[in-house]
Structure formats: C-alpha cells, structure tokens
Amino acid sequence: MSKGPGLYSDIGKKARDLLYKDYQSDQKFTITTYSPTGVAITSSGTKKGELFLADVNTQLKNKNITADIKVDTSSNLFTTITVNEPAPGLKTILSFKVPDQRSGKIELQYLHDYAGISTSIGLTSNPIVNFSGVVGTNGLALGTDVSFDSKSGDFTKCNAGFSFCNADLIAALNLNNKGDSVSASYYHIVNPLTSTAVGAEVTHSFSTNENTITVGTQHALDPLTTVKARLNNTGKVSALIQHEWRPKSLFTISGEVDTKAIEKSAKVGLALALKP
C-alpha cells in the first residue's frame, strides 16, 4: 500500500477502476511516438457512431516540469503545465484552453504521511474555488470535496468520503451531490498471483429513491492478458478482454448486452494503444 491517505479522488478509486475502466462502446486508436530529444507525441482517434473525433497531444519534459499541449478536431488547444516537487510533497498544475478565456485554472496538490490536499482556483474575475482534503493514514482516511462559485456566492459541490483498506480489501463510503446521494463501494483481492479481484458499488439517490447496484470481477489469464466482467441491477452485462501484445501496447475488446432488451444489438468497443 502507498504511504499516506492520498487525495480525495483516491477514495473508492480501486472499485471504480475495476467496474468502469476500459469499458467502452466506441472504436479508439492511439499511437505514441518519441523524438530523439524525448518529446512524446500521442495521436488518437475515436469513432462514436457516425462521429469521428481526433486529437494530437505533445508532451515535453524538462527536469521536474512537464508541459502537455493537445489540439483536437474542434480546433481547441488544451495546455497543462505541471511542476513536480517544487517543495517536498507539493505539485503545481496550470491549465487552460484556447479559445475559452474562462478555462484557466491553477491547482496545488500536497501529499503528506497523514494528509492529502488539493485546491484550485479559476483564473477569472469571479472564479470557482475548489478544495478537497483528506486526513488519516493509508489504512483509514476521511475527506471532503467542496466547490464555491464566487460569482453566485453558492457552494456548487459539497461531498464527503471515508475509506478503509488493508492488504487485500478496500471499502469506501461517499456522500455526494450535497447529500442527495450516498455511494458505498467494495474492492477485494482474491488472488494476487492472478490479479483476481471482485468489487461492488451501491448508490442510493434520496431525491428519486432509486438504487443502482453494480458488481464486477477481473482475472489475469496470463501475465499479458486480463478479462473483466460486470453486471448491474438494470440488467446490463458487460465484459472485456485486454491483451498487452508488446510492452505498453494494449488491445482491448469489450461488449455490453441489455438482458431486458435482448432483441437489441450488443454494443461492442475496440481500443488499440501503440507505444514504442
């Protein structure tokens, strides 16, 4: 286990990754190349139905400074500059999008053995201020995540979370949407040698009185091939297989079937990521 409680976004992350990461119904292709000077250029294309989206990302590194510059098919320019460890445990992130003049944001992250803090502020005259903090250890942590809109004077987000973990089990409880919904998640490593794990997430909405239940599992067929499956209470069953056919290059195929509308075609997604 890592040292310290991490950031608020880490609460429940293992279960979320098991249940949702790499599942998709689109076709995606990604290729990364490196120049002799170490510049990484990543090109990706995604087909969503009849729509095709593409972007090119360039990453430059100099000592502890990383700059990511991405251009997409809508002529948007995304820039992120990250400074790692300007002081022990500290990370600074500056991001903005052109032509959106209100997208500028600066974020500070600080990791300590018993705390994790992330705060950001928009670079506008009436910014949105976000703060999240976690206190505890790598075994027990309690945190909150709030956003304040200085223009309206309202809190746009107010969440809280709690997590417990040991060597093979992680449990988390989150109160979201200003207390309107509560989510509990569970992640358990069954066999670390085969990366076999099970997980579940239960979410209850107080305003609609609806429950959402998702359970899933993963298993490594061999060191290079992993299979995953999940099922939710709406009757949707999903599965995927991911193969690392060369170092850092992944091929993933996933599918989803609605058991309550079996006459409908299954959704199939493909993803190919190539790295040298």
Side-chain angles (χ1 to χ4, degrees), residues 177-211:
N177 302 320
K178 300 181 182 180
D180 180 63
S181 65
V182 61
S183 177
S185 63
Y186 169 82
Y187 174 87
H188 178 61
I189 300 174
V190 179
N191 187 342
L193 297 178
T194 58
S195 298
T196 304
V198 294
E201 183 182 61
V202 180
T203 301
H204 176 75
S205 173
F206 295 103
S207 59
T208 62
N209 200 32
E210 292 182 349
N211 295 315

Coordinates of all heavy atoms in Angstrom, one line a residue, residues 177-211:
N177 N -23.4 15.0 -4.2 CA -24.5 15.9 -4.6 C -25.1 16.6 -3.5 O -26.3 16.6 -3.4 CB -25.5 15.1 -5.4 CG -24.9 14.4 -6.6 OD1 -24.1 14.9 -7.3 ND2 -25.3 13.1 -6.8
K178 N -24.3 17.2 -2.6 CA -24.7 18.0 -1.5 C -25.6 17.2 -0.6 O -26.6 17.6 0.0 CB -25.5 19.2 -2.0 CG -24.7 20.2 -2.8 CD -25.5 21.4 -3.2 CE -24.7 22.4 -4.1 NZ -25.5 23.5 -4.5
G179 N -25.3 15.9 -0.4 CA -26.0 15.0 0.5 C -27.2 14.3 -0.2 O -27.9 13.6 0.5
D180 N -27.4 14.5 -1.5 CA -28.6 13.9 -2.1 C -28.4 12.4 -2.5 O -29.3 11.7 -2.6 CB -28.9 14.6 -3.4 CG -30.1 14.0 -4.1 OD1 -31.2 14.1 -3.5 OD2 -30.0 13.5 -5.3
S181 N -27.1 12.0 -2.5 CA -26.9 10.6 -2.9 C -25.7 10.0 -2.0 O -24.8 10.8 -1.6 CB -26.5 10.4 -4.3 OG -25.3 11.0 -4.7
V182 N -25.8 8.7 -1.7 CA -24.7 8.1 -1.0 C -24.3 6.9 -1.8 O -25.1 6.2 -2.4 CB -25.2 7.7 0.4 CG1 -26.4 6.7 0.4 CG2 -24.1 7.1 1.3
S183 N -23.0 6.6 -1.8 CA -22.4 5.5 -2.5 C -21.5 4.7 -1.7 O -20.6 5.3 -1.0 CB -21.7 6.1 -3.8 OG -21.1 5.0 -4.5
A184 N -21.6 3.4 -1.7 CA -20.7 2.5 -0.9 C -20.0 1.6 -1.9 O -20.7 1.0 -2.8 CB -21.5 1.7 0.1
S185 N -18.7 1.4 -1.8 CA -18.0 0.6 -2.7 C -17.1 -0.4 -2.0 O -16.7 -0.1 -0.8 CB -17.2 1.4 -3.7 OG -16.2 2.1 -3.1
Y186 N -16.8 -1.5 -2.6 CA -16.0 -2.6 -2.0 C -15.1 -3.2 -3.1 O -15.5 -3.5 -4.2 CB -17.0 -3.6 -1.4 CG -16.3 -4.9 -1.0 CD1 -15.8 -5.0 0.3 CD2 -16.3 -6.1 -1.8 CE1 -15.2 -6.2 0.7 CE2 -15.8 -7.2 -1.4 CZ -15.2 -7.3 -0.2 OH -14.6 -8.5 0.2
Y187 N -13.8 -3.4 -2.7 CA -12.9 -4.0 -3.6 C -12.1 -5.0 -2.8 O -11.5 -4.7 -1.8 CB -11.9 -2.9 -4.2 CG -10.8 -3.4 -5.0 CD1 -10.9 -3.6 -6.4 CD2 -9.5 -3.6 -4.5 CE1 -9.9 -4.1 -7.2 CE2 -8.5 -4.1 -5.2 CZ -8.7 -4.3 -6.6 OH -7.6 -4.8 -7.3
H188 N -12.0 -6.2 -3.4 CA -11.3 -7.3 -2.6 C -10.4 -8.1 -3.6 O -10.8 -8.5 -4.7 CB -12.3 -8.2 -2.0 CG -11.7 -9.4 -1.3 ND1 -10.8 -9.2 -0.2 CD2 -11.8 -10.7 -1.5 CE1 -10.4 -10.4 0.2 NE2 -11.0 -11.3 -0.5
I189 N -9.1 -8.2 -3.2 CA -8.2 -9.0 -4.0 C -8.3 -10.5 -3.6 O -8.0 -10.8 -2.4 CB -6.7 -8.5 -3.8 CG1 -6.6 -7.1 -4.2 CG2 -5.7 -9.4 -4.5 CD1 -5.2 -6.5 -3.9
V190 N -8.8 -11.3 -4.5 CA -9.0 -12.7 -4.2 C -7.7 -13.5 -4.3 O -7.3 -14.3 -3.4 CB -10.1 -13.3 -5.1 CG1 -10.3 -14.8 -4.8 CG2 -11.4 -12.6 -4.9
N191 N -6.9 -13.2 -5.4 CA -5.7 -13.9 -5.6 C -4.7 -13.0 -6.2 O -4.8 -12.7 -7.4 CB -5.9 -15.2 -6.5 CG -4.6 -16.0 -6.6 OD1 -3.5 -15.6 -6.3 ND2 -4.8 -17.3 -7.0
P192 N -3.7 -12.5 -5.5 CA -2.8 -11.5 -6.1 C -1.9 -12.1 -7.2 O -1.4 -11.4 -8.1 CB -1.9 -11.1 -4.9 CG -2.1 -12.2 -3.9 CD -3.4 -12.7 -4.1
L193 N -1.7 -13.4 -7.2 CA -0.8 -14.0 -8.2 C -1.5 -14.0 -9.6 O -0.8 -13.9 -10.6 CB -0.5 -15.5 -7.8 CG 0.3 -15.7 -6.5 CD1 0.4 -17.2 -6.3 CD2 1.6 -15.0 -6.6
T194 N -2.8 -14.0 -9.7 CA -3.5 -13.9 -10.9 C -4.3 -12.6 -11.1 O -5.1 -12.5 -12.0 CB -4.5 -15.1 -11.1 OG1 -5.4 -15.1 -10.0 CG2 -3.8 -16.4 -11.1
S195 N -4.0 -11.7 -10.2 CA -4.7 -10.4 -10.2 C -6.2 -10.5 -10.2 O -7.0 -9.7 -10.7 CB -4.3 -9.6 -11.5 OG -3.0 -9.3 -11.5
T196 N -6.7 -11.6 -9.5 CA -8.1 -11.9 -9.4 C -8.7 -11.0 -8.3 O -8.2 -11.0 -7.2 CB -8.4 -13.3 -9.1 OG1 -7.8 -14.1 -10.1 CG2 -9.9 -13.6 -9.0
A197 N -9.7 -10.2 -8.7 CA -10.4 -9.3 -7.7 C -11.9 -9.2 -8.0 O -12.3 -9.5 -9.1 CB -9.7 -7.9 -7.8
V198 N -12.6 -8.9 -7.0 CA -14.0 -8.6 -7.1 C -14.3 -7.3 -6.5 O -13.6 -6.8 -5.6 CB -14.9 -9.7 -6.4 CG1 -14.7 -11.1 -7.0 CG2 -14.5 -9.8 -4.9
G199 N -15.4 -6.7 -7.0 CA -15.8 -5.3 -6.5 C -17.3 -5.1 -6.7 O -18.0 -5.8 -7.4
A200 N -17.8 -4.1 -5.9 CA -19.2 -3.8 -6.0 C -19.4 -2.3 -5.6 O -18.6 -1.8 -4.9 CB -20.0 -4.7 -5.1
E201 N -20.4 -1.7 -6.2 CA -20.8 -0.3 -5.8 C -22.3 -0.2 -5.7 O -23.0 -0.7 -6.6 CB -20.3 0.6 -6.9 CG -20.5 2.1 -6.6 CD -20.0 3.0 -7.6 OE1 -20.5 2.9 -8.8 OE2 -19.2 3.9 -7.4
V202 N -22.8 0.4 -4.6 CA -24.2 0.6 -4.4 C -24.4 2.1 -4.2 O -23.8 2.7 -3.4 CB -24.7 -0.2 -3.2 CG1 -26.2 0.1 -3.0 CG2 -24.4 -1.7 -3.4
T203 N -25.3 2.7 -5.0 CA -25.6 4.1 -4.9 C -27.1 4.3 -4.7 O -27.9 3.7 -5.4 CB -25.2 4.8 -6.2 OG1 -23.8 4.6 -6.4 CG2 -25.5 6.3 -6.1
H204 N -27.4 5.1 -3.7 CA -28.8 5.4 -3.4 C -29.1 6.9 -3.6 O -28.3 7.7 -3.0 CB -29.2 5.0 -2.0 CG -30.6 5.4 -1.6 ND1 -31.7 4.7 -2.1 CD2 -31.1 6.4 -0.8 CE1 -32.8 5.3 -1.6 NE2 -32.4 6.3 -0.8
S205 N -30.1 7.3 -4.3 CA -30.5 8.7 -4.5 C -31.7 9.0 -3.6 O -32.7 8.3 -3.7 CB -30.8 9.0 -6.0 OG -31.3 10.3 -6.1
F206 N -31.5 10.0 -2.7 CA -32.6 10.3 -1.8 C -33.7 11.0 -2.5 O -34.9 10.9 -2.2 CB -32.1 11.1 -0.6 CG -31.1 10.4 0.2 CD1 -29.7 10.7 0.1 CD2 -31.5 9.4 1.1 CE1 -28.8 10.0 0.9 CE2 -30.6 8.8 1.9 CZ -29.3 9.0 1.8
S207 N -33.4 11.8 -3.5 CA -34.4 12.6 -4.2 C -35.3 11.8 -5.1 O -36.5 12.0 -5.2 CB -33.8 13.7 -5.1 OG -32.9 13.2 -6.0
T208 N -34.8 10.7 -5.7 CA -35.6 9.8 -6.6 C -35.9 8.5 -5.9 O -36.7 7.7 -6.5 CB -34.8 9.6 -7.9 OG1 -33.6 8.9 -7.6 CG2 -34.5 10.9 -8.6
N209 N -35.2 8.2 -4.8 CA -35.4 7.0 -4.1 C -35.0 5.8 -5.0 O -35.7 4.7 -4.9 CB -36.8 6.8 -3.6 CG -36.9 5.8 -2.4 OD1 -36.0 5.6 -1.7 ND2 -38.0 5.1 -2.4
E210 N -34.0 6.0 -5.8 CA -33.6 4.9 -6.7 C -32.2 4.3 -6.3 O -31.4 5.1 -5.7 CB -33.5 5.4 -8.1 CG -34.8 5.8 -8.8 CD -34.7 6.2 -10.2 OE1 -33.5 6.5 -10.6 OE2 -35.7 6.3 -10.9
N211 N -32.1 3.1 -6.5 CA -30.8 2.4 -6.2 C -30.1 1.9 -7.4 O -30.8 1.4 -8.4 CB -31.0 1.2 -5.2 CG -31.6 1.6 -3.9 OD1 -31.1 2.6 -3.3 ND2 -32.6 0.9 -3.4

